[in-house]
Amino acid sequence: MHGSDEVAHLVDRHPQVTPERLIAQLVPPPTFADVSFDTYLPDPAEPTQAAAVQACLRFCDEAVARRAGKKKLFGRREVLPGVGLYLDGGFGVGKTHLLASTYFRLPEPKAFATFGELTQLAGVFGFTECIELLDDYVVVCIDEFELDDPGNTTLISRLLSALVERGVSIAATSNTLPEQLGEGRFAAQDFLREINTLASIFTTVRIDGPDYRHRDLPAAPEPLSDEEVAARAARTPGATLDDFDALCDHLATMHPSRYLTLIEGVKAVFITGVHRIDDQNVALRLVSLTDRLYDAGIPVTASGEKLDTIFSEEMLAGGFRKKYLRAISRLLALSREPTPS
C-alpha cells in the first residue's frame, strides 16, 4: 500500500554515495551538532558520569600531545603512538554526547564515524589508502563500536592498530566491553588475538545510569490505523509514506552506508503495517535505518503492531540483543517526537 500519490516514498529513492561524500559524512550527526562537555549534565546519583567527563578531557589533552610528537635533535619530531578511550555503558547514558564533545574539543584533522561507516570507508578506499587518508588525524571517534563478523574484526583491528602507531588517537563508544566484542555472534575464540589487540589499545571507562530517553516517559504509543497514518503523511510537508514490508525489501537493495542519503531532506517518516521480524538480516538493516533516523531526529509514525514488539523474543535473547534494545529505545523516542506541521 502506497497511499496518497502526492506523498513521497522512501522505496522510490535510490541513493548513491561517492567517496567524497563518505569523507564529508565523517562528522557528528545533526542531533549532536551543538553538544559540548558543558551541555552534558551528569546524573548526581551516578558518579561514573562525572568521572567519564574528566576521562574524556584527559584523553583530549593526551591526544593533542601525542599528535605533536616528541622533539628530537635538529628540530625533528618523533611520532608518538596515539591513545585509546573506550566509553562503555548501557543505552541513553550520554556516551555519544561525550564522544561528540570529545570530537569538537580536538583540533582538525579529525573524524567521527559509526562503526559501519568506518568499515564502509575501508571497503571503498581499500585498507592501505584508508590508513593514508587518516594517518595525520588527531583523533578518529567511532560510535557504537561493534564487531559482527570475523572479516570486520580483522579489518578494523589492523586498521586501528596501524593508525595508533602513526599517532592517531581513537575514542569509541559501545554497549560491550572490548574483550567481549563479538561474543555470541561468531566463533570469537578464533579471533581472540584481534579482539585482544583492540582491547589493548583502549582504556575502558564505564558509564552507568538509566536510559534518559525512558526517564518518566510512557510505554510505546498505541499504533494508529493505516488510514490515519496515510492521512497524517498527506498533511505533513516533507513526509514519506511506506509499507513496512516494502521498505524492508528496499533496504536490502543497498549498503547501509547509503541509508543516510536515503533519508536526506525527509522531515517525517510514516510506515504502515509494522509487524514482528523473524529474519536477522532484515532486523539488522532496520537497526541501521533507525540509527540514521535517530541521528537526524526524524519522527516516526506507524500503524500495525507496537514498535517495541518488532524484534522476536528469540532475537532479543541472541548475540545482537543490545543492538535490538538500542533500536527499540530509539524508535520509541522518535515515535514521541512531534511531527512538523
Side-chain angles (χ1 to χ4, degrees):
M1 182 191 106
H2 266 355
S4 166
D5 288 335
E6 287 77 54
V7 182
H9 311 294
L10 291 175
V11 295
D12 295 334
R13 293 177 161 218
H14 302 277
Q16 300 298 318
V17 182
T18 62
E20 294 75 18
R21 174 66 189 267
L22 274 176
I23 296 170
Q25 283 176 197
L26 300 180
V27 295
T31 321
F32 297 97
D34 301 314
V35 301
S36 68
F37 291 118
D38 291 336
T39 61
Y40 180 80
L41 303 175
D43 185 339
E46 301 289 349
T48 55
Q49 295 186 7
V53 174
Q54 296 308 311
C56 289
L57 291 170
R58 286 193 299 273
F59 169 82
C60 289
D61 291 344
E62 188 67 16
V64 170
R66 293 298 177 112
R67 184 73 277 176
K70 194 163 67 177
K71 266 195 176 162
K72 294 183 74 176
L73 289 172
F74 311 115
R76 286 182 308 185
R77 287 187 173 272
E78 177 189 353
V79 173
L80 291 174
V83 286
L85 177 71
Y86 194 91
L87 301 173
D88 178 71
F91 315 102
V93 293
K95 297 189 302 295
T96 304
H97 185 135
L98 290 175
L99 188 70
S101 301
T102 298
Y103 170 90
F104 288 126
R105 189 175 179 90
L106 286 166
E108 300 278 358
K110 54 192 176 181
F112 186 107
T114 63
F115 185 78
E117 285 170 337
L118 193 63
T119 54
Q120 169 73 352
L121 199 69
V124 168
F125 286 96
F127 182 75
T128 306
E129 290 79 2
C130 195
I131 292 171
E132 288 171 2
L133 181 74
L134 301 171
D135 71 358
D136 64 338
Y137 277 41
V138 177
V139 69
V140 173
C141 297
I142 309 166
D143 200 21
E144 294 297 351
F145 200 108
E146 303 188 30
L147 298 179
D148 298 339
D149 67 65
N152 281 350
T153 305
T154 306
L155 173 75
I156 296 303
S157 169
R158 292 176 184 164
L159 177 67
L160 296 187
S161 297
L163 291 175
V164 167
E165 280 173 20
R166 288 163 173 76
V168 183
S169 291
I170 310 291
T173 71
S174 182
N175 306 125
T176 311
L177 290 167
E179 60 273 16
Q180 295 171 328
L181 287 167
E183 244 177 48
R185 300 172 195 182
F186 57 87
Q189 65 273 17
D190 296 343
F191 294 88
L192 208 53
R193 184 169 53 84
E194 274 84 3
I195 291 171
N196 284 339
T197 301
L198 281 173
S200 69
I201 290 171
F202 295 113
T203 297
T204 301
V205 175
R206 175 77 194 172
I207 311 174
D208 297 310
D211 187 339
Y212 74 89
R213 290 185 288 269
H214 289 172
R215 285 180 202 163
D216 306 319
L217 286 171
E222 288 297 324
L224 304 169
S225 68
D226 290 357
E227 293 71 26
E228 179 60 21
V229 168
R232 288 196 188 186
R235 59 177 185 262
T236 304
T240 60
L241 173 64
D242 290 273
D243 168 72
F244 184 65
D245 284 333
L247 179 59
C248 288
D249 289 346
H250 188 54
L251 294 178
T253 67
M254 67 189 82
H255 189 279
S257 62
R258 296 187 190 177
Y259 294 177
L260 186 62
T261 315
L262 178 71
I263 60 170
E264 197 168 40
V266 174
K267 296 289 186 279
V269 166
F270 293 82
I271 305 170
T272 56
V274 169
H275 61 82
R276 195 179 74 177
I277 300 169
D278 294 301
D279 183 317
Q280 191 103 268
N281 292 319
V282 175
L284 290 171
R285 286 191 285 267
L286 193 64
V287 168
S288 294
L289 178 66
T290 299
D291 287 342
R292 300 289 76 77
L293 290 170
Y294 182 77
D295 287 345
I298 299 172
V300 174
T301 306
S303 66
E305 296 178 28
K306 283 187 176 184
L307 291 172
D308 58 0
T309 63
I310 286 182
F311 305 111
S312 69
E313 289 301 317
E314 187 181 6
M315 285 183 176
L316 291 177
F320 295 112
R321 170 183 170 78
K322 290 182 176 178
K323 263 191 175 183
Y324 296 141
L325 290 174
R326 182 184 80 226
I328 291 170
S329 170
R330 291 182 162 186
L331 277 173
L332 294 184
L334 292 174
S335 70
R336 299 185 188 104
E337 292 265 328
T339 50
S341 53

